[in-house]
Amino acid sequence: MIDLRSDTVTRPTEDMRAAMARADVGDDVYGEDPTVRELEDRAAELMGMDAALFVPSGTMANQIAIACHTQPGQEIIVESGSHILNVEVAAMARFSGVMPRAIAGQEGSFTAEQVETALRPDVYYLAPTGLVCLESTHNAAGGRVWPGDRVREIIELAGAKGVPTHLDGARIFNAQVATGTPARELVAGFDSMMFCLSKGLGCPIGSLLCGGSSFIEDARRVRKTLGGGMRQAGIVAAAGLYALEHHVDRLAEDHENARLLATGIAELPAVSVWPQETNIVVIELDGLHTAPDLCRRLGEQGVLASPAAAGTDRRRIRMVTHLDVSRAEMMRTVDLLSQELRSPAV
Ligand code: TLP
């Protein structure tokens, strides 16, 4: 099976498993797991932030950040296609009592002027803006990297208004590799950020929430509230340390495989391919085919893909490259797509 549904589908390599088996562990709820501490210190250092917290998932990392930065009854600014808004089960409403104010971006990013308009003035009958969230790379926009100048202008504007900023950097290392800019520069100025180990980095579990020391102290309390305090978590943290050492630079191969796919099918009839920058390829179907049908037909022939926007889109397919797919498998996928798109839909 060539599984391109997501970069979350990877399985730990033999070397990663060996590192996990060797991990020195303790009870992390007592703060006694040396491997978790090492991972948190490494994450904070890589992001140029004071501290970091190891959490089970990207969703939990984002939701802890929202809970720590905001008060119930506030609004948070998000992009309309963002993961926080669309694929986190309305958790911001359930756990933090905040509402989203969505800005429609272009290719996943918006401007400081758009933020200026979305920020609520200090009027008693309006919900105050409690947080601005960006996402880079932007998943639903096809793995696009937020332009650095836009990020800086928004951070400056939010700072001037006293509104904190959070980055959903689930795939920040894809952004690092694509731009050649170290992650710590891409995230400079944000009050908090999170990145995932369980996507392109190939770990089985885990994300890191990074920020200032007192923010991370609060975050530790909220993590426990959500049931995210883990015990001998060093077993999985060891996979994270291994991945940060061995699986970052190789993301370039995933980007190259995505490029092969995107360019290989660009000229086919009945499709257009979104601009590809990292490891996500979005194929827009403009003919007779629908995304669920095409995904089913590809699946029957050994290639798994999903309709875009977490399965809700009937016209777009998302294919994601990762360390468990090879260049040869990408060529096979291009061949199969060529056959399917040239034949009439059934
Ligand atoms: N994304 C998953 C699905 O939920 C769509 C995927 O397959 O891409 N932020 C971003 C930008 C993400 O893409 C994801 C996961 C998350 C947060 C949440 O991470 P997890 O799945 O660890 O909760």
Side-chain angles (χ1 to χ4, degrees):
M1 223 20 128
I2 303 172
D3 194 345
L4 300 169
R5 287 171 301 166
S6 181
D7 47 8
T8 59
V9 301
T10 56
R11 293 183 174 86
T13 61
E14 284 308 316
D15 288 346
M16 182 180 277
R17 285 173 192 263
M20 295 170 78
R22 280 196 304 272
D24 196 2
V25 298
D27 188 329
D28 185 49
V29 174
Y30 290 110
E32 289 173 2
D33 191 303
T35 311
V36 170
R37 283 201 192 156
E38 191 184 339
L39 175 63
E40 290 175 343
D41 289 349
R42 181 88 186 108
E45 181 194 327
L46 283 169
M47 297 305 148
M49 296 198 173
D50 293 345
L53 184 72
F54 186 42
V55 298
S57 68
T59 301
M60 192 185 284
N62 281 334
Q63 294 305 322
I64 292 174
I66 294 170
C68 290
H69 286 304
T70 64
Q71 298 295 323
Q74 291 187 325
E75 282 185 356
I76 69 170
I77 293 178
V78 290
E79 201 280 324
S80 56
S82 65
H83 195 279
I84 285 179
L85 176 61
N86 294 286
V87 208
E88 299 191 8
V89 215
M92 71 172 81
R94 182 179 283 235
F95 297 120
S96 299
V98 296
M99 299 232 309
R101 172 143 299 262
I103 298 181
Q106 255 193 334
E107 292 160 1
S109 75
F110 44 70
T111 63
E113 292 76 61
Q114 285 176 288
V115 174
E116 181 113 55
T117 313
L119 282 165
R120 298 301 223 166
D122 185 12
V123 177
Y124 81 91
Y125 49 78
L126 299 177
T129 307
L131 181 65
V132 178
C133 297
L134 311 187
E135 179 179 318
S136 187
T137 65
H138 192 297
N139 182 351
R144 303 301 292 266
V145 181
W146 258 77
D149 48 349
R150 285 192 168 188
V151 173
R152 278 186 293 279
E153 282 167 26
I154 290 168
I155 288 177
E156 202 171 303
L157 171 69
K161 304 277 182 190
V163 177
T165 49
H166 169 72
L167 176 70
D168 176 345
R171 296 184 177 83
I172 196 66
F173 289 107
N174 293 90
Q176 167 174 306
V177 167
T179 57
T181 308
R184 60 158 56 221
E185 285 179 35
L186 298 172
V187 309
F190 282 98
D191 293 286
S192 61
M193 71 82 62
M194 77 85 169
F195 68 91
C196 293
L197 298 169
S198 55
K199 303 206 161 52
L201 298 185
C203 297
I205 303 169
S207 293
L208 274 306
L209 178 61
C210 308
S213 311
S214 70
F215 168 83
I216 292 296
E217 256 174 59
D218 290 350
R220 196 177 296 282
R221 194 168 294 114
V222 177
R223 181 185 69 176
K224 193 75 178 90
T225 316
L226 295 174
M230 298 180 285
R231 302 295 178 172
Q232 286 71 32
I235 295 279
V236 275
L241 283 165
Y242 179 87
L244 290 172
E245 190 67 32
H246 300 282
H247 288 175
V248 173
D249 293 340
R250 65 147 307 285
L251 291 170
E253 289 170 36
D254 299 345
H255 298 179
E256 176 57 20
N257 281 340
R259 197 188 60 79
L260 270 179
L261 173 64
T263 52
I265 59 176
E267 304 304 326
L268 289 175
V271 291
S272 48
V273 182
W274 286 11
Q276 168 274 328
E277 275 179 52
T278 57
N279 68 329
I280 300 179
V281 176
V282 178
I283 305 166
E284 185 116 23
L285 305 169
D286 47 10
L288 296 166
H289 305 271
T290 65
D293 275 352
L294 188 56
C295 288
R296 181 182 49 76
R297 283 156 56 197
L298 293 173
E300 286 163 5
Q301 296 167 84
V303 173
L304 298 181
S306 18
T312 60
D313 202 303
R314 290 186 63 76
R315 284 284 155 211
R316 289 178 202 150
I317 288 184
R318 182 184 79 150
M319 290 184 162
V320 189
T321 58
H322 50 75
L323 87 174
D324 284 356
V325 288
S326 64
R327 188 183 165 91
E329 288 173 321
M330 295 322 292
M331 302 310 279
R332 154 105 186 99
T333 303
V334 170
D335 286 347
L336 186 59
L337 270 169
S338 313
Q339 271 169 34
E340 282 300 325
L341 292 167
R342 283 182 210 282
S343 61
V346 285

